[in-house]
C-alpha cells in the first residue's frame, strides 16, 4: 500500500483550521470503525450456540467473514476520502444554543 500525501489546505476549506479538520476526520474514522465492528459482530453472532458437531465448517465460514472485513479499506482512509468529497457533515456545539 502506497502512502498518499494530503494537501491540508485543500481539505481545510470547510473548517479553516487544520486542527479542527484532524479532529473531525478522526471522529468520523472512529464512527466508521464502530459501525464496521457492529456489522462484523452481528454476522458472527449467527455462529453462537451451535453444537460442536461440525466445528470445522463453522470455523471456516467465520474465517471467511472475518477476511471480508479485513479487506475493507481502513476507517481512516475512508474518512479522508469522505472529507475530500465533502461528504462529512459537522457542526459546532456552541452554535446549537
Amino acid at each position: 500500500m502506497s502512502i498518499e500525501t494530503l494537501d491540508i489546505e485543500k481539505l481545510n476549506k470547510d473548517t479553516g483550521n487544520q486542527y479542527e479538520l484532524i479532529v473531525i476526520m478522526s471522529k468520523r474514522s472512529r464512527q466508521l470503525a464502530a459501525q464496521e465492528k457492529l456489522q462484523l459482530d452481528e454476522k458472527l453472532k449467527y455462529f453462537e450456540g451451535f453444537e460442536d458437531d461440525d466445528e470445522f465448517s463453522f470455523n471456516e465460514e467465520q474465517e471467511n467473514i472475518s477476511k471480508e472485513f479485513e479487506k475493507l479499506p481502513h476507517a481512516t482512509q475512508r474518512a479522508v476520502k469522505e472529507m475530500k468529497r465533502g461528504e462529512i457533515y459537522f457542526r459546532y456545539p456552541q452554535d446549537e444554543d
Side-chain angles (χ1 to χ4, degrees), residues 21-68:
L21 173 74
I22 300 300
V23 169
I24 291 166
M25 287 191 300
S26 68
K27 285 185 178 187
R28 178 61 182 150
S29 176
R30 280 187 238 125
Q31 287 175 346
L32 291 170
Q35 288 173 355
E36 185 178 298
K37 174 135 176 52
L38 284 174
Q39 290 173 351
L40 177 62
D41 289 344
E42 187 176 309
K43 287 186 176 187
L44 291 178
K45 191 179 285 188
Y46 168 78
F47 298 100
E48 292 178 5
F50 282 104
E51 296 294 326
D52 292 339
D53 297 339
D54 198 13
E55 185 177 325
F56 180 74
S57 66
F58 282 136
N59 286 342
E60 189 175 336
E61 289 178 44
Q62 288 173 323
E63 185 178 331
N64 290 338
I65 290 171
S66 297
K67 284 182 180 180
E68 284 179 37

